[in-house]
Amino acid sequence: MPPRATPPPTSSDAPAVTAAQIEAAAARLDAGELVAFPTETVYGLGGDAENPEAVARIYAAKGRPATHPVIVHLGPHGDPQYWVDALPADAQKLIDAFWPGPLTLILKRAAHIPPAVSGGQDSVGLRTPSHPVAQALLDAFGARRGGHGGVAAPSANRFGHVSPTSAQHVRDEFGSSIYVLDGGRCEVGIESTIIDLSRGFAALLRPGRITPFEIADVLGVAPRLPDGSDATAPRASGTLKAHYAPRTPLTLAPFEVLEPLLVAARDANTRVALVARRSCAGVWADAHDVHFVAAPEDPHVYARELYGLLRALDRADVARILVERLPDTPAWAAVNDRLGRAAAAFEANP
Ligand code: TXA
Ligand code: MG
């Protein structure tokens, strides 16, 4: 096997979360308060999914429009049937194949679930994460609700900003106002794949670690892809064109398009960041007036490091972030998607 660009995180990265901390966090959720917790994808900002006031607190903390649905997280002992009108056979197949893990399913919501979690839509997004701290929290909270508790949790960042992949990122977003369980760095690093099954067929709403090919393998049919032509697709904030953005303007383009921008920045005495694979960056990798970051050559490693990198570049005192567009291949689809949305935030005003 080739050497990895970055060693995978080990359990030693993760500070120990005690049983007492888990219980304290579950008690907060029970009382309608918010708790930030780690998942294998990104940190979530959680509240009791069946308590509309708790859900309203999530929207208020994030500054997110109330029409945007949030994902309901279930523990490994949770019961997806409780949340949905009916569990289609395809949903059960995907659950068996990918839960616990980075896959969210959009299904028809059961009538007794308050619509606040769905932004008023008739569906509900469900996911069982694999991170042990998330699982412990979700099962502890579920136990307080007769096994049926679910935790509504969007990514623990302010609306439109970069998702957090460490407890420190959450503190950077919200200060000390939010209780955070520190489960170390997130292993996947970008948000879950979202598959909509609420309309009688499978449709990909958001790409992630689990690819459309893996979904097709399980369902025997490929999910519809989000090409913008699906006018009945449910609203999902992660599907907005401009999302996941750093504060520093970001441009995403093939390296040959970035090179003239690097020359122009040099002529103007402006310091910019360049994120590109070393194999593509040529002399710019060593230019003293460029803040060069060698992009990981492996898509999974890139995804894991992406949001931490964007946050670091926001602190790097550069006028602009120039990012090499990755190859247009399935392996890079999720990373290209997040980078494309980060860049789109600046396209009206480059
Ligand atoms: O990996 C993840 O999914 C992370 C972790 C915390 O689990 N969560 C996350 O949540 O990314 P958030 O809210 O930032 O993004 C959830 C996406 C949004 O695009 C939301 O609109 C969509 O899921 N979503 C949730 N429920 C939905 C529903 N009922 N119908 C359509 N989209 C839904
Ligand atoms: Mg988000």
Side-chain angles (χ1 to χ4, degrees):
M1 265 190 29
R4 304 178 74 113
T6 315
T10 59
S11 53
S12 62
D13 282 355
V17 173
T18 64
Q21 285 172 314
I22 296 286
E23 263 320 306
R28 281 173 188 260
L29 292 172
D30 205 8
E33 294 168 29
L34 305 187
V35 170
F37 63 97
T39 81
E40 71 280 23
T41 58
V42 301
Y43 275 69
L45 180 61
D48 177 356
E50 290 183 275
N51 177 344
E53 283 167 23
V55 174
R57 274 186 202 110
I58 298 175
Y59 286 106
K62 279 188 64 101
R64 181 183 203 177
T67 51
H68 287 202
V70 289
I71 296 171
V72 177
H73 295 71
L74 308 179
H77 297 100
D79 176 13
Q81 297 270 7
Y82 174 78
W83 298 86
V84 302
D85 200 17
L87 200 64
D90 278 355
Q92 192 61 57
K93 285 186 201 163
L94 294 177
I95 287 171
D96 292 344
F98 299 113
W99 283 11
L103 178 70
T104 296
L105 298 178
I106 309 298
L107 298 159
K108 284 266 182 259
R109 178 166 46 84
H112 63 95
I113 303 300
V117 281
S118 313
Q121 303 180 65
D122 63 357
S123 55
V124 63
L126 297 179
R127 168 165 119 80
T128 294
S130 63
H131 194 294
V133 173
Q135 295 199 341
L137 175 67
L138 292 165
D139 271 346
F141 176 68
R144 287 170 176 259
R145 294 297 157 85
H148 285 311
V151 174
S155 51
N157 53 277
R158 296 196 188 267
F159 185 62
H161 195 217
V162 176
S163 298
T165 53
S166 73
Q168 187 56 46
H169 293 165
V170 181
R171 292 184 204 111
D172 292 345
E173 291 281 324
F174 296 108
S176 56
S177 63
I178 302 278
Y179 185 83
V180 190
L181 288 173
D182 188 345
R185 284 181 58 200
C186 301
E187 199 269 324
V188 175
I190 56 171
E191 305 79 357
S192 58
T193 304
I194 303 182
I195 296 287
D196 176 26
L197 288 172
S198 70
R199 293 172 295 154
F201 54 88
L204 178 75
L205 296 187
R206 181 173 72 183
R209 167 71 77 92
I210 294 171
T211 67
F213 299 105
E214 291 173 276
I215 301 291
D217 260 356
V218 172
L219 297 185
V221 44
R224 290 194 198 178
L225 299 182
D227 61 359
S229 63
D230 192 354
T232 63
R235 285 188 312 274
S237 55
T239 62
L240 296 179
K241 189 153 182 272
H243 212 69
Y244 311 116
R247 308 203 192 279
T248 313
L250 183 148
T251 302
L252 177 70
F255 190 74
E256 57 275 19
V257 176
L258 297 181
E259 203 154 22
L261 302 178
L262 287 161
V263 173
R266 173 170 289 172
D267 290 349
N269 254 326
T270 305
R271 192 169 169 76
V272 296
L274 170 66
V275 183
R277 289 166 301 165
R278 191 172 280 279
S279 53
C280 300
V283 294
W284 294 100
D286 302 307
H288 66 277
D289 53 350
V290 170
H291 182 102
F292 175 70
V293 178
E297 308 259 348
D298 174 274
H300 289 172
V301 178
Y302 201 131
R304 181 184 305 146
E305 295 186 353
L306 175 60
Y307 291 143
L309 172 61
L310 294 181
R311 283 170 184 273
L313 289 175
D314 264 341
R315 296 189 303 268
D317 199 24
V318 292
R320 195 166 175 182
I321 305 170
L322 303 177
V323 184
E324 178 206 359
R325 182 183 287 285
L326 285 315
D328 195 12
T329 57
W332 286 105
V335 169
N336 271 335
D337 171 76
R338 300 311 191 276
L339 284 171
R341 289 176 206 282
F346 304 101
E347 269 162 17
N349 186 18

